[in-house]
């Protein structure tokens, strides 16, 4: 079945978005389209020569393969520069015309601040895995420059760092319109430093940065080894800090784990508030999927949501990508979604190394974490060293795998379901009071979902 070229390109973008960083995706695929489709030949329009060369060199294979997966009659592609006419420039805040229309909002951002208006606190789902970071971010946005300065967020890829950073920026922009705000990435900052050194305009650049009331620098792990940039950043940091300007930083790891980063910068980063975002639990993953489906005006059945949430655990961007894939498929084939169609559609996205969490893995990881022999978990022992891991195992089986209480009891050597309920509730209650336990649970969860 031949599909409309607009739909085809939307489907291609939905797929490619999964494989690239948001920055690369936005840089190279913004304002691209299918210009012409004729007898197995696709001509892709691109806005500049620069983009054309880059796409040909780096992404031609990927694009062709993605196109072929969707339509096997396609044989080859070409790129053609089609300069933008003013009307073609996407309008950032445009309302979605069609409920199933894909909207690649990574393409739109505010010129002055570089903030993308889609990232807000309102659409940021809070769960045990990120609530500390969210609460601190909220506090920073209420009184920038005074409570937590600098504010440092770290966590793995696709877990919401950029979203949270930008939510702070967007909120401050709304509440304090007079404040000057800048969002940048450490890579972009490095580029600016290098250029300004070349052009002998470094003082101008520094003066510009010193004017900001709120400076957000995303992904500072990339400053690793960039000595000159680190030095300039250190001075800029001090200047802003002394003026009570708010500095917000993110990284994929805590400051002390960033290699080749000057000690004095590390200690500056550690001087304020540090919060981490860990891997979302099953319930939070469902909540995020529901939120995203709603944003896209999609109706997805619970079975499909549960399938996605159990198959994708450690990257929220991928959860969202799976939904984008479903919208595209729904639109192209006009299919109703149910767990079977969902599984089939997402096979390519999810299949290769998807390993469902298993009962055995939960037992193994938790016993290892507390250094207790696995077999003791199944016995009657009331020793404290055993009781806690056993209770946590029950907790994880329920929380992450949705096991019923009676089946947990049965699997753990024939325990009564009331014992299981008691243990589960106890862990939930303890979690609220005990931050140490929350941290332990987060690290165990990370191990559960690593290969
Ligand atoms: P990171 O910067 O940590 O790699 P991002 O902030 O880019 O991750 O998040 C990846 C995607 O997941 C974004 O589209 C973001 O909106 C979404 N996302 C992450 N965390 C949440 C959350 N708690 N609630 C809703 N969406 C989220
Ligand atoms: Mg990011």
């Amino acid at each position: 079945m031949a599909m409309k070229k607009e739909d085809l390109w939307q489907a291609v973008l939905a797929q490619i978005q999964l494989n690239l960083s948001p920055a690369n995706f936005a840089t190279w695929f913004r304002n691209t389209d299918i210009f012409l489709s004729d007898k197995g030949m696709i001509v892709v329009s691109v806005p500049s020569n620069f983009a054309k060369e880059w796409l040909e060199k780096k992404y031609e294979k990927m694009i062709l393969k993605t196109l072929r997966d969707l339509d096997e009659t396609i044989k080859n592609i070409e790129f053609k520069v089609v300069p933008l006419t003013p009307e073609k420039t996407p309008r950032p805040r445009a309302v979605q015309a069609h409920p199933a229309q894909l909207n690649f909002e990574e393409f739109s951002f505010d010129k002055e601040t570089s903030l993308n208006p889609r990232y807000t606190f309102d659409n940021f789902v809070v769960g045990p895995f990120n609530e500390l970071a969210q609460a601190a971010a909220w506090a920073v946005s209420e009184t920038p420059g005074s409570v937590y300065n600098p504010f440092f967020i770290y966590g793995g890829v696709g877990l919401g760092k950029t979203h949270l950073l930008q939510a702070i920026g967007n909120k401050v922009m709304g509440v304090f319109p007079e404040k000057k705000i800048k969002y940048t990435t450490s890579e972009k900052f490095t580029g600016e430093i290098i250029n300004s050194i070349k052009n002998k305009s470094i003082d101008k650049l520094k003066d510009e940065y010193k004017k900001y009331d709120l400076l957000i620098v995303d992904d500072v792990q990339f400053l690793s080894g960039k000595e000159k940039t680190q030095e300039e950043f250190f001075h800029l940091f001090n200047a802003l800090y002394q003026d009570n300007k708010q500095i917000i930083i993110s990284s994929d790891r805590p400051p002390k784990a960033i290699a080749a980063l000057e000690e004095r910068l590390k200690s500056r980063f550690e001087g304020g508030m540090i919060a981490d975002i860990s891997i979302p639990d099953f319930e939070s993953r469902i909540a995020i999927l529901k939120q995203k489906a709603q944003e896209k005006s999609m109706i997805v059945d619970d079975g499909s949501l549960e399938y996605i949430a159990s198959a994708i655990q450690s990257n929220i961007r991928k959860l969202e990508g799976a939904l984008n894939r479903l919208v595209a498929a729904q639109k192209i084939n006009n299919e109703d979604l149910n767990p079977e169609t969902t599984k089939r559609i997402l096979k390519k996205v999810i299949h290769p190394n998807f390993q469902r969490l298993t009962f055995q893995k939960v037992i193994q990881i938790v016993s290892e974490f507390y250094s207790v022999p696995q077999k003791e978990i199944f016995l009657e022992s009331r020793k404290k060293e055993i009781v806690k891991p056993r209770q946590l195992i029950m907790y994880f089986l329920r929380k992450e795998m949705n096991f019923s209480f009676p089946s947990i009891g049965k699997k753990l050597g024939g325990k009564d379901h009331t014992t299981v309920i008691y243990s589960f509730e106890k862990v939930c209650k303890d979690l609220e009071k005990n931050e140490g336990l929350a941290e332990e649970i987060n690290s165990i969860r990370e191990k559960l979902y690593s290969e």
Side-chain angles (χ1 to χ4, degrees):
M1 181 195 65
M3 60 184 93
K4 285 212 312 254
K5 57 188 178 36
E6 293 80 16
D7 292 345
L8 179 61
W9 194 241
Q10 291 277 297
V12 168
L13 292 179
Q15 183 63 35
I16 286 177
Q17 188 184 25
L18 286 175
N19 302 329
L20 298 185
S21 76
N24 271 332
F25 180 65
T27 308
W28 304 116
F29 289 88
R30 173 189 282 144
N31 296 321
T32 58
D33 208 341
I34 293 183
F35 182 74
L36 187 111
S37 160
D38 184 36
K39 302 193 197 77
M41 155 75 124
I42 296 277
V43 179
V44 177
S45 64
V46 299
S48 67
N49 249 321
F50 186 44
K52 176 170 182 279
E53 279 167 24
W54 196 270
L55 286 169
E56 280 169 351
K57 208 164 67 195
K58 294 269 196 180
Y59 297 116
E60 182 163 339
K61 267 207 195 110
M62 181 199 272
I63 299 170
L64 185 58
K65 180 171 179 310
T66 314
L67 277 165
R68 277 203 185 131
D69 283 345
L70 292 158
D71 178 350
E72 52 203 22
T73 66
I74 293 170
K75 295 280 169 295
N76 47 24
I77 52 172
E78 261 176 28
F79 298 90
K80 176 182 164 65
V81 178
V82 179
L84 290 180
T85 52
E87 305 87 294
K88 266 198 90 177
T89 322
R91 250 155 283 159
R93 298 266 69 192
V95 189
Q96 274 173 250
H98 187 282
Q101 171 99 59
L102 275 181
N103 202 353
F104 296 95
E105 294 205 358
E106 253 122 22
F107 291 169
S108 65
F109 53 83
D110 183 84
K111 278 236 164 55
E112 203 178 303
T113 60
S114 301
L115 289 170
N116 183 328
R118 76 173 276 228
Y119 296 116
T120 65
F121 279 107
D122 283 344
N123 61 13
F124 189 78
V125 176
V126 185
F129 71 106
N130 65 6
E131 65 188 342
L132 176 66
Q134 193 270 355
W138 182 264
V140 167
S141 72
E142 295 270 281
T143 50
S146 57
V147 263
Y148 301 131
N149 205 11
F151 177 40
F152 189 103
I153 301 183
Y154 72 92
V157 178
L159 292 179
K161 301 181 297 295
T162 298
H163 189 137
L164 203 47
L165 251 43
Q166 296 219 13
I168 302 175
N170 281 317
K171 173 145 178 279
V172 172
M173 186 155 76
V175 180
F176 307 96
E178 74 287 357
K179 287 202 189 294
K180 279 183 70 79
I181 302 169
K182 182 72 180 175
Y183 167 87
T184 189
T185 64
S186 71
E187 288 158 301
K188 202 161 162 215
F189 182 74
T190 305
E192 286 178 337
I193 296 280
I194 292 171
N195 270 337
S196 72
I197 292 173
K198 236 185 344 208
N199 304 334
K200 305 199 166 43
S201 58
I202 183 112
D203 289 328
K204 202 173 131 232
L205 183 74
K206 282 199 244 180
D207 286 344
E208 188 190 314
Y209 268 92
K210 280 180 196 157
K211 284 193 303 222
Y212 295 120
D213 299 298
L214 172 64
L215 176 64
I216 304 172
V217 185
D218 207 351
D219 288 325
V220 291
Q221 71 271 13
F222 295 121
L223 287 182
S224 167
K226 315 237 164 70
E227 284 160 28
K228 183 67 189 156
T229 307
Q230 287 183 24
E231 188 185 331
E232 295 303 343
F233 188 56
F234 179 76
H235 295 301
L236 174 63
F237 185 104
N238 288 340
L240 291 172
Y241 184 82
Q242 272 156 23
D243 274 353
N244 295 319
K245 308 289 189 62
Q246 179 72 45
I247 302 153
I248 306 177
I249 299 156
S250 85
S251 164
D252 66 349
R253 64 201 80 178
K256 51 174 169 311
I258 305 176
L261 182 71
E262 283 186 45
E263 277 310 319
R264 55 182 188 169
L265 262 180
K266 282 187 198 177
S267 73
R268 286 290 185 278
F269 292 169
E270 283 167 349
M273 168 76 177
I274 300 187
D276 77 318
I277 301 184
S278 64
I279 291 175
D281 51 289
F282 181 78
E283 257 174 20
S284 300
R285 300 201 293 274
I286 294 278
I288 290 167
L289 284 169
K290 288 193 167 153
Q291 157 83 24
K292 301 286 176 193
Q294 197 193 8
E295 282 171 25
K296 297 173 203 300
S297 312
M298 286 174 80
I299 296 175
V300 190
D301 62 285
D302 287 348
S304 297
L305 291 180
E306 277 169 26
Y307 171 72
I308 303 172
S310 56
I312 302 175
Q313 304 106 4
S314 54
N315 186 325
I316 295 171
R317 181 172 305 123
K318 290 199 173 144
L319 285 176
E320 204 175 349
L323 282 181
N324 283 340
R325 193 77 183 80
L326 288 182
V327 192
Q330 213 175 8
K331 202 171 163 188
I332 290 164
N333 306 330
N334 226 336
E335 266 183 309
D336 276 339
L337 289 182
N338 59 49
E340 270 61 53
T341 48
T342 297
K343 261 181 223 174
R344 203 192 60 238
I345 295 166
L346 294 181
K347 218 165 72 197
K348 286 210 183 84
V349 182
I350 286 170
H351 185 61
N353 31 26
F354 161 39
Q355 284 195 319
R356 219 175 245 272
L357 189 55
T358 59
F359 172 76
Q360 189 46 44
K361 190 165 185 196
V362 174
I363 304 283
Q364 180 208 329
I365 300 277
V366 178
S367 344
E368 264 172 30
F369 192 87
Y370 293 104
S371 310
V372 297
Q374 288 187 28
K375 59 179 189 305
E376 295 234 12
I377 300 288
F378 297 89
L379 303 176
E380 288 297 309
S381 166
R382 305 203 144 266
K383 276 188 281 183
K384 223 174 116 207
E385 316 85 83
I386 307 295
V387 171
K388 180 178 174 188
R390 188 190 288 131
Q391 287 180 339
L392 283 177
I393 285 171
M394 295 176 178
Y395 171 85
F396 282 118
L397 290 175
R398 175 76 191 168
K399 265 279 203 215
E400 302 296 327
M401 300 188 68
N402 234 353
F403 276 29
S404 72
F405 292 122
S407 73
I408 296 174
K410 208 149 98 207
K411 283 198 156 246
L412 291 178
K415 301 202 166 37
D416 193 61
H417 74 280
T418 52
T419 314
V420 183
I421 293 176
Y422 169 83
S423 305
F424 178 75
E425 287 178 349
K426 178 162 188 319
V427 175
C428 293
K429 239 190 269 145
D430 289 353
L431 245 178
E432 281 175 20
K433 293 174 296 202
N434 182 342
E435 243 174 57
L437 180 65
E439 258 173 42
E440 283 171 31
I441 286 184
N442 281 338
S443 2
I444 294 172
R445 184 177 299 114
E446 278 180 23
K447 291 189 201 306
L448 289 177
Y449 290 127
S450 64
E451 299 316 311

